[in-house]
Amino acid sequence: MVSNFRQQEILELARKEGKVTVDGLAEIYDVTVQTIRRDLSELAETGRLERVHGGAVIPSGVVNIVYNERRRLNEDGKRAIAAACAASIPDGASVFMNIGTTTEAVARELLDHENLLVVTNNLNIANTLAANHSCEIILTGGVLRRADGGLVGGLTAEMVKQFKFDFSVLGCSAIDEDGDLLDFDGQEILVSRSAIQRSRNIMVVADHHKFQRKAPLTICSLADVTVLFTDGALPDKLVGDCQKWGTDIVNV
Amino acid sequence: MVSNFRQQEILELARKEGKVTVDGLAEIYDVTVQTIRRDLSELAETGRLERVHGGAVIPSGVVNIVYNERRRLNEDGKRAIAAACAASIPDGASVFMNIGTTTEAVARELLDHENLLVVTNNLNIANTLAANHSCEIILTGGVLRRADGGLVGGLTAEMVKQFKFDFSVLGCSAIDEDGDLLDFDGQEILVSRSAIQRSRNIMVVADHHKFQRKAPLTICSLADVTVLFTDGALPDKLVGDCQKWGTDIVNV
DNA sequence: GAACGAATGTTCGTATTTGTTCGTTTTTGA
DNA sequence: TCAAAAACGAACAAATACGAACATTCGTTC
């Protein structure tokens, strides 16, 4: 589904060479760089190429473009949240981590921890933490979802139930004003709930955007959570509720 | 997600050479060392490289050095075997693939196939085939073994039993003169056997070195196999046996 | 042949990347 | 252990690439 003959050829060229340049293509086809940019933008939008400064390369890896963009959203905030969360996980702990860009940030901050046991349904986290040699990594089985590197399917929740964790590090799609953790994905909710059941400490990582979003399904309430790590002010009412519930809030 | 051409190539170079130097790269790309430092910093930040004074090395990641060397052993032979094997797998097939450098080579040859369903306990295969967008990938759960990117543990075999495959693509540690497929790892044997039970066609990929090696545990006999793909002459006796058993031999 | 739409070219303000400089940190070798 | 050399990263300026908006060209349709 390319909108012109150039795009088809650009794709072939990129596959053969591994990359294409804006200037090079402009010369080949004798058009302006702007036209080539339009072609590359379209190809990148549909995920066929990955745009880089000066040209484009073949897309690599598990995860699609949208997710990568989401990963960049409030990157610094997520890193700060992740650092705080990682700091409160001691060496030797057993940890569950679910799907999400913020939990992935936590994984990166855990690279220097020692003797962790990490169970996850997130392929990206497994790939990241593989660099930490003292960390035992257990992947749940499931269908690989390219959208976010998640492993989904009925068996995942069952597998999680076999463990007992010191910590669950959970991300979610949204948190509403009542303090309910929300998500879009029904199966992922089952996984998160199983993890909550089997964990001594529930850590939720959520940047301030999550308080402005909505999602249809409830994972649990902040009342069930041990600590919430975030990077923005919560509504006053929620702060009060958390105090009542005994839910700690760490605001980085 | 790389932000420029260099980074992509730096990664490839690092994977090939095991390391890259700041000065060397600056010379190759005819840019200042500062620019290279920025590239390496970015790659290190996302965990793709590990920064060292004067350059960078590949992170001690999913797969250890020994395995990488094994992967290079008879690389061309394995690719030829893999190409033949992939050629006899039709689009739309359901396939199981186990741990092993040769099965990984098959995965690379399957990148252009369409609508495959691939079940595997090999993280490397999942990462490779993720680039094939029309391929559904199912990972078995299990403990990540860094030695070879395998997912091992009691649950893997159970999970495999839930499927029915058109093809199993199996590697093994050795094949002895009686035609028995051998392996070092007890759990992996259980996985392979489960796959064999549940597959309409068993394809074994094994380069000629496998006929000179020994391993303690038996997976099954070549009599149970549909096709053997290899790149060297088999002992005459074994050729005769295979004819008797109805096991095809494809010698590339 | 006039009206239209798609593709491309042109212009311009913005964003990103790169080179340069300089003070600090790490490595090396005595 | 100490000093020189090398490598490093931060900060700033220059060069380059970028995308949006608008103009132009060319083929179609009425």
Side-chain angles (χ1 to χ4, degrees):
Chain A
M1 215 139 19
V2 288
S3 63
N4 65 41
F5 68 93
R6 268 198 319 277
Q7 295 189 8
Q8 185 63 45
E9 291 184 22
I10 288 172
L11 272 179
E12 281 167 32
L13 195 62
R15 292 206 179 106
K16 200 161 59 186
E17 306 285 332
K19 64 171 189 185
V20 287
T21 65
V22 172
D23 288 343
L25 290 170
E27 196 165 336
I28 290 174
Y29 293 106
D30 196 24
V31 293
T32 59
V33 290
Q34 193 55 244
T35 303
I36 296 297
R37 287 204 188 103
R38 276 188 277 250
D39 285 336
L40 296 186
S41 299
E42 281 182 45
L43 290 169
E45 215 159 286
T46 53
R48 268 131 27 137
L49 285 181
E50 194 173 297
R51 194 76 163 81
V52 299
H53 210 81
V57 296
I58 320 197
S60 63
V62 174
V63 163
N64 74 8
I65 313 295
V66 179
Y67 192 71
N68 266 323
E69 277 168 15
R70 194 139 64 80
R71 197 176 274 165
R72 291 205 174 162
L73 199 72
N74 191 20
E75 204 173 0
D76 293 338
K78 283 175 182 164
R79 184 159 45 228
I81 291 169
C85 176
S88 51
I89 295 177
D91 287 346
S94 61
V95 185
F96 175 81
M97 305 178 75
N98 74 350
I99 302 174
T101 54
T102 319
T103 51
E104 285 174 23
V106 176
R108 284 192 288 276
E109 299 295 328
L110 287 175
L111 282 171
D112 288 329
H113 277 54
E114 291 189 356
N115 299 317
L116 294 175
L117 175 101
V118 172
V119 179
T120 183
N121 62 335
N122 184 328
L123 194 58
N124 302 318
I125 287 181
N127 282 327
T128 299
L129 279 175
N132 179 342
H133 267 233
S134 83
C135 172
E136 180 154 349
I137 299 165
I138 299 179
L139 271 167
T140 68
V143 178
L144 175 60
R145 185 166 62 191
R146 284 180 179 73
D148 54 11
L151 298 169
V152 298
L155 286 167
T156 307
E158 283 309 308
M159 190 152 171
V160 169
K161 285 184 189 156
Q162 312 211 356
F163 295 90
K164 180 89 195 206
F165 305 106
D166 296 324
F167 299 90
S168 275
V169 178
L170 302 177
C172 60
S173 299
I175 299 179
D176 75 3
E177 64 272 18
D178 299 330
D180 283 328
L181 274 56
L182 308 172
D183 208 293
F184 286 101
D185 183 343
Q187 285 189 332
E188 180 66 3
I189 283 185
L190 296 179
V191 173
S192 300
R193 283 190 187 153
S194 302
I196 290 168
Q197 272 180 18
R198 312 293 303 158
S199 296
R200 300 186 183 90
N201 296 282
I202 321 293
M203 304 168 119
V204 171
V205 286
D207 75 351
H208 63 276
H209 291 112
K210 300 283 162 67
F211 291 98
Q212 289 135 31
R213 296 178 61 198
K214 293 273 172 280
L217 302 167
T218 309
I219 301 170
C220 67
S221 160
L222 274 176
D224 307 318
V225 169
T226 316
V227 200
L228 166 68
F229 294 90
T230 187
D231 67 341
L234 274 66
D236 286 344
K237 173 175 173 305
L238 205 48
V239 174
D241 285 342
C242 282
Q243 251 176 354
K244 202 170 60 197
W245 293 328
T247 303
D248 290 336
I249 300 175
V250 176
N251 200 322
V252 294
Chain B
M1 192 63 131
V2 290
S3 60
N4 64 42
F5 298 125
R6 277 193 314 275
Q7 295 186 10
Q8 175 109 338
E9 293 183 20
I10 287 171
L11 274 178
E12 281 167 32
L13 196 62
R15 288 192 186 121
K16 199 158 60 183
E17 306 286 332
K19 62 167 191 187
V20 287
T21 64
V22 173
D23 287 342
L25 291 170
E27 195 165 338
I28 290 175
Y29 292 106
D30 195 24
V31 292
T32 59
V33 288
Q34 188 58 21
T35 303
I36 297 297
R37 287 204 189 101
R38 275 188 279 247
D39 285 335
L40 297 186
S41 301
E42 279 184 48
L43 291 169
E45 206 162 309
T46 51
R48 260 99 73 95
L49 284 181
E50 201 169 294
R51 195 75 163 81
V52 297
H53 209 80
V57 296
I58 40 175
S60 38
V62 175
V63 163
N64 71 10
I65 313 291
V66 179
Y67 190 73
N68 267 324
E69 278 169 10
R70 193 139 64 79
R71 197 177 275 167
R72 277 188 205 170
L73 199 70
N74 191 20
E75 204 172 1
D76 292 338
K78 282 175 183 163
R79 181 160 47 229
I81 291 170
C85 176
S88 51
I89 296 176
D91 288 345
S94 61
V95 185
F96 174 82
M97 305 180 73
N98 75 349
I99 302 174
T101 54
T102 319
T103 50
E104 287 173 23
V106 176
R108 284 191 288 277
E109 299 295 328
L110 288 175
L111 282 172
D112 287 329
H113 277 54
E114 292 189 353
N115 300 316
L116 294 176
L117 175 104
V118 172
V119 179
T120 183
N121 63 334
N122 185 328
L123 194 57
N124 302 318
I125 287 180
N127 283 326
T128 299
L129 280 176
N132 180 342
H133 272 232
S134 84
C135 173
E136 179 155 350
I137 300 166
I138 299 179
L139 271 166
T140 68
V143 178
L144 174 61
R145 185 165 65 191
R146 285 180 180 72
D148 54 11
L151 298 170
V152 298
L155 287 167
T156 306
E158 284 308 308
M159 188 149 171
V160 169
K161 284 184 189 156
Q162 311 211 355
F163 294 90
K164 181 90 195 205
F165 305 107
D166 295 324
F167 299 90
S168 275
V169 178
L170 303 176
C172 60
S173 300
I175 299 179
D176 75 3
E177 63 273 16
D178 297 331
D180 283 327
L181 306 181
L182 307 172
D183 208 296
F184 285 101
D185 182 343
Q187 285 187 331
E188 179 66 2
I189 283 186
L190 297 179
V191 173
S192 301
R193 282 190 187 152
S194 302
I196 290 169
Q197 272 181 18
R198 313 293 303 158
S199 295
R200 299 184 183 92
N201 294 283
I202 322 294
M203 304 170 120
V204 171
V205 286
D207 74 351
H208 62 276
H209 290 110
K210 299 284 161 66
F211 291 97
Q212 288 135 33
R213 297 177 61 197
K214 291 275 174 279
L217 304 167
T218 309
I219 301 170
C220 67
S221 161
L222 276 178
D224 306 316
V225 169
T226 315
V227 199
L228 166 68
F229 294 90
T230 185
D231 67 340
L234 275 68
D236 287 344
K237 175 176 171 302
L238 205 47
V239 174
D241 285 342
C242 282
Q243 252 177 351
K244 201 170 61 198
W245 294 326
T247 303
D248 290 337
I249 299 175
V250 176
N251 199 321
V252 294

